Amino acid sequence: MFERVTSRSSRTSLIRTRAAVLAAGLGASVALGAGVAVAADTTAASGAASAAHAVQAQAAAQAEAAKAQAAQAEKAAKAKQTAAAKAAKAKQAAKAAAKKQASWVSPVKSYKLSASYAANGGMWASKHSGQDYAVPTGTPVVAVHGGTVVKAGGNGAGDGPAYGNAVVVKHSNGKYSQYAHLSSVNVKAGQVVKTGQKIALSGNTGNSSGPHLHFEIRTTPNYGSAINPATFLRANGVSL
């Protein structure tokens, strides 16, 4: 009887031991599964964070590239505007210069400059009051600028016989142009003339040593108010 009790007790102990091992194994499996799940979640979260960071970095790079491209485009546009403004300014200046040059002309063509303004010489009572253009008698003489004839005729048109036949034209800027030693006069006082219009023919009348045109720029219509005509014409775009 003692032996049977011992055997039953041993069997019960063995069953309990096996149950404990099984439970321990099951607990270990559960714990391992939970650990793997936690590790998987952590890895997934880390991957998502890395992907989000990569997207942000790419967006930032694209934004910087777009900003740089916009800045370059703006710089190119400004350069283009500056070039266009310079071209327009140059064109306007050229147009103004051409207009200025066209508004004043030389009194004769194919000439040779001889006695200049303020030159000394025995032909004048004082210094020379104008610019002489050496040209053959009969050379067309034109108005250097549009205006109104205020003097025309012999005796220097009222300025004295030394000038011979002469014409004086008043211009809109308040200056007067005078043409002397003419062989003939083609205009009369009060007549309006245009720039480049023929007003007379050159000659050798009055106090003259040879065929030429005596030309003056004056501040009044009368003798004694002359200024340097060459300087004046050059300032108004006329090449001498």
Side-chain angles (χ1 to χ4, degrees):
M1 186 174 180
F2 177 75
E3 291 179 357
R4 182 180 297 176
V5 171
T6 301
S7 177
R8 182 178 298 174
S9 177
S10 298
R11 186 181 301 170
T12 301
S13 178
L14 178 62
I15 292 172
R16 289 177 178 176
T17 300
R18 288 178 178 176
V21 170
L22 181 61
L26 181 61
S29 297
V30 171
L32 179 61
V36 170
V38 170
D41 289 343
T42 302
T43 302
S46 177
S50 298
H53 181 71
V55 170
Q56 291 177 351
Q58 184 178 5
Q62 289 176 345
E64 286 296 324
K67 185 177 179 180
Q69 186 176 5
Q72 186 175 4
E74 184 179 1
K75 184 177 180 181
K78 286 183 178 180
K80 187 176 180 180
Q81 289 178 352
T82 300
K86 287 183 178 180
K89 187 176 181 180
K91 184 177 180 180
Q92 186 177 5
K95 186 176 180 180
K99 183 177 179 181
K100 184 176 181 181
Q101 184 174 6
S103 66
W104 291 85
V105 297
S106 176
V108 290
K109 295 181 179 180
S110 301
Y111 56 83
K112 180 179 179 180
L113 296 177
S114 51
S116 300
Y117 177 77
N120 293 311
M123 297 292 294
W124 315 292
S126 58
K127 291 185 177 181
H128 194 229
S129 58
Q131 174 64 58
D132 285 351
Y133 294 76
V135 290
T137 296
T139 298
V141 177
V142 303
V144 294
H145 191 67
T148 302
V149 178
V150 293
K151 291 182 178 182
N155 194 36
D159 288 323
Y163 284 113
N165 298 322
V167 173
V168 177
V169 177
K170 180 181 180 180
H171 306 290
S172 59
N173 64 350
K175 297 296 189 294
Y176 298 78
S177 57
Q178 187 245 21
Y179 315 77
H181 304 311
L182 305 171
S183 60
S184 66
V185 175
N186 302 120
V187 292
K188 59 184 179 180
Q191 181 176 340
V192 176
V193 295
K194 297 179 180 179
T195 302
Q197 180 178 332
K198 186 177 78 170
I199 58 176
L201 297 177
S202 66
N204 191 31
T205 59
N207 188 13
S208 174
S209 60
H212 72 282
L213 170 69
H214 175 87
F215 175 75
E216 294 183 12
I217 291 292
R218 297 175 172 179
T219 57
T220 74
N222 304 318
Y223 171 77
S225 63
I227 60 175
N228 191 323
T231 300
F232 178 85
L233 289 179
R234 288 189 180 105
N236 283 278
V238 180
S239 298
L240 299 180

